[in-house]
Amino acid sequence: MIKKIDHIAVAVRDVEKAAEFYEKVLGLKLGGVEEVEGMDVKVGFIPIGDTRIELVQPLDPHSGLAKFIEKKGEGIHHICYEVDDIHKALETYKAKGAKMIDETPRKGAHHSLVGFIHPKSTGGVLTELTQPADS
Amino acid sequence: MIKKIDHIAVAVRDVEKAAEFYEKVLGLKLGGVEEVEGMDVKVGFIPIGDTRIELVQPLDPHSGLAKFIEKKGEGIHHICYEVDDIHKALETYKAKGAKMIDETPRKGAHHSLVGFIHPKSTGGVLTELTQPADS
């Protein structure tokens, strides 16, 4: 059901500033930057191998992401896995005992559908599932 | 110079226990588990796509990793990139202004050579570089 890691998300204060390490030091390239409707975040993706680093910047200072940065500083925020059927994945993982943040999918970046599993059932790792728009 | 993400490391109290979420819920498979000589850790790799989740358990209660778990709980610890030449990578990234934890490589899991970049120069992400034994 899981195809690959879609992205590893890094919470940052400023996407373009954070991208400098990846571009100037590591020699990777920042792809498109977009604001995600309804999630109040600005995201920039850095492709690498079959996955991507997602730099994610809160636009709402009262959001969970903004509080994460305020409390813990910038850093790795979650891991996102690509699944072929997000509805089935959320249902199956819940049935297997995972504590879900989302029981039904919501809209993510690039017109994908996404859902989150609570870190309590994953050994502390906020875990996102995504079904890309084209799958 | 960077080929792909070698692994995403998750700090855990117990590799086998932490693997249960990945195996029973997500349906992924835990590969070999090994103790890494000189680093006082037990690691278990879960292959996915062209990368891996590394579950890493401290064996020394006074280590940085043990303190990380004590302070922040289990969770994502670092991202590791595969490079073709670890000596050249550490030298190049230092020359480009990255604050290095390791200026020369040390031994990692599976007879690899590894080096770390300090989170201060990476936007809060502890960043490891690895040259696998077979490259």
Side-chain angles (χ1 to χ4, degrees):
Chain A
M1 183 175 282
I2 286 182
K3 298 165 83 171
K4 60 170 191 163
I5 293 178
D6 182 80
H7 63 263
I8 301 118
V10 178
V12 301
R13 292 194 177 86
D14 182 299
V15 168
E16 281 83 1
K17 187 154 179 279
E20 285 181 12
F21 166 73
Y22 294 93
E23 296 204 301
K24 294 191 183 163
V25 177
L26 297 188
L28 301 171
K29 290 285 164 212
L30 177 65
V33 174
E34 77 166 300
E35 295 188 9
V36 185
E37 196 188 340
M39 290 184 84
D40 282 327
V41 293
K42 182 173 171 182
V43 297
F45 286 100
I46 299 164
I48 172 163
D50 73 1
T51 187
R52 300 174 296 172
I53 301 289
E54 179 196 56
L55 302 175
V56 56
Q57 170 189 340
L59 298 176
D60 172 2
H62 304 292
S63 64
L65 188 65
K67 284 174 191 161
F68 173 94
I69 294 176
E70 203 177 296
K71 193 177 163 191
K72 305 186 178 185
E74 294 182 313
I76 307 172
H77 186 260
H78 66 262
I79 299 177
C80 179
Y81 298 90
E82 182 183 333
V83 295
D84 45 16
D85 183 336
I86 184 78
H87 291 86
K88 194 174 163 192
L90 296 180
E91 193 181 311
T92 305
Y93 301 159
K94 187 190 172 194
K96 287 184 177 176
K99 183 177 159 65
M100 310 305 290
I101 293 174
D102 299 300
E103 300 200 356
T104 53
R106 49 179 155 134
K107 284 185 189 172
H110 303 300
H111 306 289
S112 60
L113 289 174
V114 306
F116 282 88
I117 307 177
H118 198 282
K120 272 194 183 171
S121 14
T122 66
V125 178
L126 178 60
T127 299
E128 184 181 13
L129 306 162
T130 184
Q131 178 186 334
D134 55 5
S135 79
Chain B
M1 183 176 286
I2 285 182
K3 299 166 82 172
K4 60 172 190 162
I5 293 178
D6 182 80
H7 63 263
I8 302 118
V10 178
V12 301
R13 292 194 177 87
D14 182 298
V15 168
E16 281 83 3
K17 190 155 176 281
E20 285 180 14
F21 166 72
Y22 295 92
E23 296 203 301
K24 294 190 183 164
V25 178
L26 298 188
L28 302 171
K29 289 287 163 209
L30 176 65
V33 174
E34 76 165 301
E35 296 188 6
V36 185
E37 196 188 338
M39 290 185 85
D40 284 326
V41 292
K42 183 174 171 181
V43 297
F45 287 100
I46 298 163
I48 172 161
D50 74 1
T51 187
R52 300 174 295 173
I53 301 288
E54 178 196 57
L55 302 175
V56 55
Q57 169 189 340
L59 297 176
D60 172 2
H62 304 293
S63 65
L65 187 65
K67 285 174 191 159
F68 173 94
I69 294 176
E70 203 176 297
K71 192 176 163 191
K72 305 187 177 184
E74 295 181 312
I76 308 173
H77 188 259
H78 66 263
I79 299 177
C80 179
Y81 298 91
E82 183 183 331
V83 295
D84 45 16
D85 183 336
I86 183 80
H87 290 88
K88 194 175 163 192
L90 296 180
E91 193 181 311
T92 305
Y93 301 157
K94 188 189 171 192
K96 287 182 176 175
K99 183 176 159 64
M100 309 305 289
I101 292 174
D102 298 299
E103 299 200 355
T104 52
R106 49 179 155 134
K107 283 185 190 171
H110 302 300
H111 307 289
S112 59
L113 288 173
V114 306
F116 283 88
I117 307 178
H118 198 283
K120 273 195 183 171
S121 16
T122 66
V125 178
L126 179 60
T127 299
E128 183 181 13
L129 306 162
T130 185
Q131 178 184 335
D134 56 3
S135 78

